[in-house]
Amino acid sequence: MSPSRDPHRTPAPTAPPNRGRFPISRAIVEAQAASADLTITEADLPVPPPVGRWAGDVLGRGHQARTLPLADDDEGPVVTTIVRYRPELDVTSPPRIAPPTAPRFAVLYLHGWSDYFLNPEIGPFWARVGGAFYGLDLRKYGRSLRVHQTPGYIADLATYDEDLAAALAVIEEEHPGLPLVIMAHSTGGLTASLWANRHPGRASGLVLVAPWLEMQGSTIARSLSMPIIVEIAKAFPKRRTPNPDLGFYARTTSAALGGEWNLVPAWRPEHGFPATYGWAAAVLAGHTQVAAGLDVACPVLVVRSARTLISPVWDDAMAECDTVLDVDVIAQRALRIGRDVTVSTVEGALHDVLLSRRPVREDAYRRIERWAAAYLP
């Protein structure tokens, strides 16, 4: 059934019917305008978590958050925000997922571009299989975003080392000596891979959900575009790049648009944050490093969808595909991360596999659990 004939499906406001090239072009222009006009005010942002102590988080379900101040940058004060899951506070968890009395390892989750830690199911999953779970909203994203900042802006992915160091200090204080597992999605997967490569021996495992390890179009597209992007970034690092996000990924995830997940609009806009040339240059530099080969010694699990569908018009099949990245490129580049890499393909999955329909994400969780049983302490 097409979206226009389904009374139960919320229509995508930026996906006009395919009546030729003009409607498609208009949709792209409208999406770019919506992203360019994005203005976040203090009223749009939930009250940030406190500094120096834990408080209840927007996710509820046993989640607590804490703000961690970082060094100022050229835009002013900077923070990162750590979220922890406390199973003893989660009154929604059924007895069948009661966690072990003592965790065997700690897990730190990193989100992707134009995103934040939003999934209340990940913490209970890791608690059940033996992990003390924490999520991190990196600087200028989600709980860490402030109105004086350029959302998501970074000029070097290694800058996130400060965010991770602050979070890991908290985890070490609460769970001294526990082995560390990094779980990360999309751009967070790139960040985590590069971090693990720079910090050998620090992580005991990486779980990467559709990591963004290469530009769309693979090496050729990157080699052609990178010199131009880098030169613009040198002169105008915060100039906005064109944004072709038509809102289809948001449509597959956001409850406000027909998906399953309740999202904070200011933290995850329908058309994404406007990307900048400085950020794009930093990501491409990371892709170049991965293409040259990393040397991550710990076991790595890469979880991806079975198919990619990227189109300028809405297709119902997008609810069962990766609409952001090329899944074949993910698998190819994953093998350059380290010595022990497992690639697991989940049928019917979205870009963020763990936001897919319940049967699909339950399949993904089973795969992660089997890998964890085989590889983690």
Side-chain angles (χ1 to χ4, degrees):
M1 180 177 291
S2 68
S4 60
R5 296 176 183 175
D6 185 350
H8 302 294
R9 182 182 290 275
T10 303
T14 56
N18 184 7
R19 297 172 182 158
R21 297 181 63 185
F22 174 72
I24 295 174
S25 299
R26 183 176 64 190
I28 293 173
V29 169
E30 290 175 351
Q32 291 177 341
S35 179
D37 291 342
L38 180 67
T39 300
I40 297 174
T41 68
E42 203 75 54
D44 298 320
L45 298 174
V47 176
V51 176
R53 64 180 178 87
W54 296 98
D57 184 59
V58 294
L59 289 182
R61 290 192 53 176
H63 292 84
Q64 298 176 321
R66 175 177 167 186
T67 297
L68 307 176
L70 304 175
D72 293 358
D73 68 4
D74 65 320
E75 293 184 325
V78 179
V79 302
T80 195
T81 308
I82 188 169
V83 180
R84 70 179 180 184
Y85 173 69
R86 297 289 296 272
E88 68 273 17
L89 302 178
D90 186 358
V91 297
T92 67
S93 293
R96 65 182 177 84
I97 67 168
T101 54
R104 306 191 318 273
F105 52 86
V107 181
L108 180 63
Y109 177 93
L110 304 182
H111 58 80
W113 162 249
S114 198
D115 209 347
Y116 66 102
F117 173 56
L118 59 87
N119 189 334
E121 296 180 351
I122 299 178
F125 162 76
W126 280 115
R128 181 173 61 80
V129 299
F133 179 79
Y134 296 80
L136 189 64
D137 277 7
L138 297 165
R139 63 183 68 205
K140 305 185 182 184
Y141 287 102
R143 300 163 182 82
S144 304
L145 179 61
R146 303 294 185 263
V147 293
H148 64 272
Q149 296 172 335
T150 303
Y153 178 75
I154 199 81
D156 184 345
L157 295 179
T159 303
Y160 290 133
D161 282 15
E162 185 185 7
D163 301 59
L164 270 73
L168 294 178
V170 172
I171 295 173
E172 178 64 22
E173 179 183 357
E174 298 195 341
H175 300 282
L178 280 191
L180 172 68
V181 177
I182 301 288
M183 185 181 198
H185 168 58
S186 199
T187 314
L190 174 63
T191 299
S193 299
L194 297 172
W195 179 88
N197 188 63
R198 288 192 302 273
H199 299 82
R202 187 66 183 87
S204 295
L206 298 183
V207 178
L208 308 179
V209 181
W212 189 20
L213 303 175
E214 181 59 276
M215 185 176 179
Q216 294 290 60
S218 194
T219 307
I220 294 176
R222 173 167 46 81
S223 62
L224 292 174
S225 62
M226 189 169 179
I228 299 171
I229 290 174
V230 169
E231 286 305 310
I232 296 175
K234 289 178 182 177
F236 308 102
K238 294 181 183 177
R239 174 175 288 183
R240 295 176 175 181
T241 67
N243 179 24
D245 187 343
L246 297 175
F248 297 154
Y249 182 50
R251 178 172 176 172
T252 63
T253 54
S254 172
L257 299 171
E260 294 185 40
W261 304 90
N262 293 316
L263 309 178
V264 178
W267 292 351
R268 193 172 180 192
E270 179 183 349
H271 299 286
F273 293 131
T276 62
Y277 280 95
W279 170 84
V283 170
L284 292 177
H287 291 164
T288 302
Q289 288 181 259
V290 173
L294 306 181
D295 188 21
V296 175
C298 68
V300 180
L301 172 65
V302 173
V303 184
R304 63 167 188 161
S305 177
R307 281 178 293 280
T308 292
L309 177 55
I310 298 175
S311 169
V313 293
W314 171 260
D315 186 317
D316 282 348
M318 289 177 172
E320 299 181 345
C321 297
D322 190 322
T323 60
V324 179
L325 299 181
D326 185 325
V327 296
D328 291 334
V329 173
I330 290 174
Q332 292 162 8
R333 280 293 181 260
L335 301 181
R336 295 180 180 254
I337 294 174
R339 313 167 196 174
D340 192 346
V341 179
T342 302
V343 177
S344 185
T345 302
V346 182
E347 188 70 34
L350 298 174
H351 172 54
D352 188 339
V353 178
L354 299 181
L355 297 184
S356 305
R357 292 178 297 107
R358 180 168 295 281
V360 176
R361 63 183 188 264
E362 287 181 347
D363 178 23
Y365 282 122
R366 285 192 294 269
R367 293 163 182 262
I368 297 171
E369 183 173 1
R370 287 197 298 268
W371 178 87
Y375 286 101
L376 297 184

